[in-house]
Amino acid sequence: MDLATLRDTDFTLLHGTADAYERLRGDFGRHLENWRDGVEQRLTAADWTGPAADAAAPALRRTTGGLTAARTELGQIGQALRTGADALVLAQSALRKALEDVRAAGIAVDEHGAVDPATASPADRHDSVDEGARARTAEALAARIGTALTEADTVDRALAARLRHYTARARDGTGLDPHRALGDRLDLGLAPDNLLLGSVPADGASPVEVNAWWNALPADRQRWLIEEHPDLVGDRDGVPAAARDRANRILLPRLIAGHRPGGPSSDPYGDLKLSGYRGIAERLRRTDGTDPPVLLLGVGGRGQGRGIISFGDPDTADDVTTLVGGLGTTLRRIGGGDADRAKAVYDAARRADPTRSTASIAWLGYDAPLTFPEAGDRSRARGGVDAYRRFLDGQRVTHRGPPAHVTAQGHSFGSLLVGLAARGPAGIAADDVILVGSPGTDASHASEFSVGADHTYVGAAAWDHVSHLGWYARDPAGADFGARRFVVDGGSPDFTAHSSYWDDGPADDHTSIDNIGRIVSGHGDRISPDDPR
């Protein structure tokens, strides 16, 4: 579907067609009642016997079945037309609003929907306008236009396919077969609501595209998706945090109910995931109504399980940080130890600067290694790079107000994932990177990260044996790496130092967590510096 067609077509005409089919269905329903009352039931109640009666009985049933099937098919067509029209009107509204915003921004758009800030007329351009901001605005508007056109085209094709299906039924007579008509009504692929689902962005859609789609939906349609299809909303980067939280709180008990201890052997991580779901549910139960609010930003059953929990709302916070755990990080930790660490960071950031708001997130969006041999496999970290980048991109897109100060944290093997994500031209949507207990990042120097060496911070305890391994290229705590090392509690030789960076109890040394809190709150200049190794 092209821009002009979507912009100018009167899709309410489809509502009129849907009304006609629904009236026809009603007429068939009354005809069916008349047939049953006046013919079938009267003859059945009569004491008619003999060869003629024996021949008439199946014919009567066939007629009743045909009328019933026709009524069912007509109802399906009417519902499909109405739902398809609703979906097209939604896409049209989104397109028209995007075009209005394009005009308001003084940016030109061609007949194909291509947006180019450079084509704006001189009268619409002002020296005070930041060209970078104009380019970002143009990119967002182009995504909104593209999303609306894609949604409309998807719905148009799906609706056309359904109408062809029912037309074929009518032509070959199978539309009068009650069994096939019932099959059509039960076929999820033909369910009317699926036409609205057809506009859901593909899994590979960018957070910008997802956000444009979500914002174009009316509030009642957003609620419907959250309540009826939480799996399509809860783990969508680009959907606001509050909506994700509501969807995931609906999804979580369904995931628990769908798993049983010792379940199907086809899922080797079934019991591990069930334990994780229950742990997250218990954490939410204990924190409901507390301050800060706890939001469940993601939960799912891919691989070893997925979970994202946030202390504070990342869409409104001044400072947002996302911690990636490493070796031994299971879904259970998202409701347990990793959640404790995220809360400790939240508290430390608030101590460092009580004037700023914070969101501290524990993120498990990859299959972390569960054993030391698995930790030698870099592919596990590489497998989470895109997901982590997309999550941070989504936080930028959904944030309200001035951009948040964003810190990416990686612990142990998780620091390898963060390091891989931060490298390259694209890098990550973060202002600072913190690496603690890191066995390496696959980088030779901190300047390879998109945040730069001056915004890369490293904490490495003297007795943290893992931080001395240097498995993945150069030691981040070493002088040759070029990062800013901060003071942490040295720990003890009993292997506990690797997991003590977030200790925040009354009897703990707060040196490490307080330094992390300073960085997260945007005060990296106030850390207690430590000499590189």
Side-chain angles (χ1 to χ4, degrees), residues 445-460:
H445 196 274
S447 61
E448 297 175 32
F449 298 155
S450 55
V451 300
D454 288 344
H455 290 274
T456 301
Y457 300 85
V458 176

PDB file of all heavy atoms in Angstrom, residues 445-460:
ATOM      1  N   HIS A 445      42.175  -1.896  24.430  1.00  0.00           N
ATOM      2  CA  HIS A 445      42.254  -0.588  25.080  1.00  0.00           C
ATOM      3  C   HIS A 445      40.847  -0.037  25.241  1.00  0.00           C
ATOM      4  O   HIS A 445      39.965  -0.270  24.393  1.00  0.00           O
ATOM      5  CB  HIS A 445      43.119   0.385  24.263  1.00  0.00           C
ATOM      6  CG  HIS A 445      43.549   1.597  25.035  1.00  0.00           C
ATOM      7  ND1 HIS A 445      42.759   2.726  25.130  1.00  0.00           N
ATOM      8  CD2 HIS A 445      44.680   1.853  25.764  1.00  0.00           C
ATOM      9  CE1 HIS A 445      43.379   3.631  25.869  1.00  0.00           C
ATOM     10  NE2 HIS A 445      44.554   3.128  26.262  1.00  0.00           N
ATOM     11  N   ALA A 446      40.637   0.702  26.304  1.00  0.00           N
ATOM     12  CA  ALA A 446      39.310   1.250  26.593  1.00  0.00           C
ATOM     13  C   ALA A 446      38.845   2.236  25.533  1.00  0.00           C
ATOM     14  O   ALA A 446      37.637   2.483  25.399  1.00  0.00           O
ATOM     15  CB  ALA A 446      39.323   1.925  27.956  1.00  0.00           C
ATOM     16  N   SER A 447      39.761   2.805  24.786  1.00  0.00           N
ATOM     17  CA  SER A 447      39.377   3.743  23.728  1.00  0.00           C
ATOM     18  C   SER A 447      38.598   3.058  22.607  1.00  0.00           C
ATOM     19  O   SER A 447      37.989   3.740  21.768  1.00  0.00           O
ATOM     20  CB  SER A 447      40.618   4.428  23.154  1.00  0.00           C
ATOM     21  OG  SER A 447      41.493   3.467  22.578  1.00  0.00           O
ATOM     22  N   GLU A 448      38.603   1.732  22.578  1.00  0.00           N
ATOM     23  CA  GLU A 448      37.821   1.019  21.569  1.00  0.00           C
ATOM     24  C   GLU A 448      36.318   1.067  21.869  1.00  0.00           C
ATOM     25  O   GLU A 448      35.507   0.748  21.009  1.00  0.00           O
ATOM     26  CB  GLU A 448      38.278  -0.439  21.491  1.00  0.00           C
ATOM     27  CG  GLU A 448      39.728  -0.617  21.051  1.00  0.00           C
ATOM     28  CD  GLU A 448      40.171  -2.074  21.099  1.00  0.00           C
ATOM     29  OE1 GLU A 448      39.324  -2.954  20.861  1.00  0.00           O
ATOM     30  OE2 GLU A 448      41.364  -2.314  21.394  1.00  0.00           O
ATOM     31  N   PHE A 449      35.949   1.443  23.086  1.00  0.00           N
ATOM     32  CA  PHE A 449      34.544   1.508  23.458  1.00  0.00           C
ATOM     33  C   PHE A 449      33.939   2.827  22.980  1.00  0.00           C
ATOM     34  O   PHE A 449      34.623   3.862  22.959  1.00  0.00           O
ATOM     35  CB  PHE A 449      34.368   1.386  24.976  1.00  0.00           C
ATOM     36  CG  PHE A 449      34.842   0.088  25.553  1.00  0.00           C
ATOM     37  CD1 PHE A 449      35.226   0.004  26.874  1.00  0.00           C
ATOM     38  CD2 PHE A 449      34.898  -1.064  24.771  1.00  0.00           C
ATOM     39  CE1 PHE A 449      35.652  -1.192  27.427  1.00  0.00           C
ATOM     40  CE2 PHE A 449      35.325  -2.267  25.305  1.00  0.00           C
ATOM     41  CZ  PHE A 449      35.711  -2.325  26.627  1.00  0.00           C
ATOM     42  N   SER A 450      32.652   2.800  22.688  1.00  0.00           N
ATOM     43  CA  SER A 450      31.983   3.996  22.175  1.00  0.00           C
ATOM     44  C   SER A 450      31.941   5.120  23.206  1.00  0.00           C
ATOM     45  O   SER A 450      31.833   6.289  22.843  1.00  0.00           O
ATOM     46  CB  SER A 450      30.563   3.649  21.735  1.00  0.00           C
ATOM     47  OG  SER A 450      29.827   3.039  22.779  1.00  0.00           O
ATOM     48  N   VAL A 451      32.042   4.799  24.507  1.00  0.00           N
ATOM     49  CA  VAL A 451      32.009   5.841  25.531  1.00  0.00           C
ATOM     50  C   VAL A 451      33.367   6.500  25.722  1.00  0.00           C
ATOM     51  O   VAL A 451      33.474   7.556  26.374  1.00  0.00           O
ATOM     52  CB  VAL A 451      31.517   5.273  26.883  1.00  0.00           C
ATOM     53  CG1 VAL A 451      30.126   4.696  26.753  1.00  0.00           C
ATOM     54  CG2 VAL A 451      32.491   4.215  27.426  1.00  0.00           C
ATOM     55  N   GLY A 452      34.429   5.878  25.189  1.00  0.00           N
ATOM     56  CA  GLY A 452      35.778   6.401  25.349  1.00  0.00           C
ATOM     57  C   GLY A 452      36.438   5.932  26.630  1.00  0.00           C
ATOM     58  O   GLY A 452      35.776   5.477  27.571  1.00  0.00           O
ATOM     59  N   ALA A 453      37.753   6.048  26.683  1.00  0.00           N
ATOM     60  CA  ALA A 453      38.517   5.562  27.835  1.00  0.00           C
ATOM     61  C   ALA A 453      38.188   6.343  29.109  1.00  0.00           C
ATOM     62  O   ALA A 453      38.148   5.781  30.207  1.00  0.00           O
ATOM     63  CB  ALA A 453      40.008   5.642  27.535  1.00  0.00           C
ATOM     64  N   ASP A 454      37.933   7.664  28.983  1.00  0.00           N
ATOM     65  CA  ASP A 454      37.675   8.485  30.165  1.00  0.00           C
ATOM     66  C   ASP A 454      36.357   8.138  30.841  1.00  0.00           C
ATOM     67  O   ASP A 454      36.127   8.531  31.989  1.00  0.00           O
ATOM     68  CB  ASP A 454      37.672   9.968  29.782  1.00  0.00           C
ATOM     69  CG  ASP A 454      39.071  10.489  29.470  1.00  0.00           C
ATOM     70  OD1 ASP A 454      40.038   9.804  29.848  1.00  0.00           O
ATOM     71  OD2 ASP A 454      39.192  11.566  28.859  1.00  0.00           O
ATOM     72  N   HIS A 455      35.490   7.426  30.138  1.00  0.00           N
ATOM     73  CA  HIS A 455      34.194   7.063  30.708  1.00  0.00           C
ATOM     74  C   HIS A 455      34.064   5.551  30.880  1.00  0.00           C
ATOM     75  O   HIS A 455      32.961   5.033  30.981  1.00  0.00           O
ATOM     76  CB  HIS A 455      33.061   7.600  29.832  1.00  0.00           C
ATOM     77  CG  HIS A 455      32.943   9.091  29.888  1.00  0.00           C
ATOM     78  ND1 HIS A 455      32.211   9.737  30.849  1.00  0.00           N
ATOM     79  CD2 HIS A 455      33.499  10.052  29.105  1.00  0.00           C
ATOM     80  CE1 HIS A 455      32.303  11.047  30.661  1.00  0.00           C
ATOM     81  NE2 HIS A 455      33.081  11.266  29.616  1.00  0.00           N
ATOM     82  N   THR A 456      35.211   4.881  30.921  1.00  0.00           N
ATOM     83  CA  THR A 456      35.244   3.445  31.211  1.00  0.00           C
ATOM     84  C   THR A 456      35.874   3.249  32.588  1.00  0.00           C
ATOM     85  O   THR A 456      37.010   3.673  32.829  1.00  0.00           O
ATOM     86  CB  THR A 456      36.063   2.688  30.150  1.00  0.00           C
ATOM     87  OG1 THR A 456      35.482   2.894  28.860  1.00  0.00           O
ATOM     88  CG2 THR A 456      36.073   1.194  30.455  1.00  0.00           C
ATOM     89  N   TYR A 457      35.123   2.650  33.496  1.00  0.00           N
ATOM     90  CA  TYR A 457      35.544   2.494  34.886  1.00  0.00           C
ATOM     91  C   TYR A 457      35.699   1.012  35.213  1.00  0.00           C
ATOM     92  O   TYR A 457      34.892   0.182  34.772  1.00  0.00           O
ATOM     93  CB  TYR A 457      34.524   3.125  35.828  1.00  0.00           C
ATOM     94  CG  TYR A 457      34.326   4.606  35.604  1.00  0.00           C
ATOM     95  CD1 TYR A 457      33.435   5.066  34.634  1.00  0.00           C
ATOM     96  CD2 TYR A 457      35.025   5.549  36.355  1.00  0.00           C
ATOM     97  CE1 TYR A 457      33.242   6.425  34.424  1.00  0.00           C
ATOM     98  CE2 TYR A 457      34.844   6.909  36.155  1.00  0.00           C
ATOM     99  CZ  TYR A 457      33.953   7.343  35.182  1.00  0.00           C
ATOM    100  OH  TYR A 457      33.775   8.691  34.972  1.00  0.00           O
ATOM    101  N   VAL A 458      36.714   0.713  36.014  1.00  0.00           N
ATOM    102  CA  VAL A 458      37.020  -0.672  36.337  1.00  0.00           C
ATOM    103  C   VAL A 458      37.199  -0.836  37.844  1.00  0.00           C
ATOM    104  O   VAL A 458      37.907  -0.055  38.490  1.00  0.00           O
ATOM    105  CB  VAL A 458      38.307  -1.144  35.623  1.00  0.00           C
ATOM    106  CG1 VAL A 458      38.671  -2.558  36.058  1.00  0.00           C
ATOM    107  CG2 VAL A 458      38.135  -1.074  34.114  1.00  0.00           C
ATOM    108  N   GLY A 459      36.516  -1.859  38.369  1.00  0.00           N
ATOM    109  CA  GLY A 459      36.713  -2.249  39.759  1.00  0.00           C
ATOM    110  C   GLY A 459      37.227  -3.676  39.801  1.00  0.00           C
ATOM    111  O   GLY A 459      36.607  -4.572  39.223  1.00  0.00           O
ATOM    112  N   ALA A 460      38.376  -3.886  40.437  1.00  0.00           N
ATOM    113  CA  ALA A 460      38.973  -5.222  40.498  1.00  0.00           C
ATOM    114  C   ALA A 460      39.598  -5.426  41.873  1.00  0.00           C
ATOM    115  O   ALA A 460      40.579  -4.758  42.222  1.00  0.00           O
ATOM    116  CB  ALA A 460      40.015  -5.397  39.399  1.00  0.00           C
TER     117      ALA A 460
END
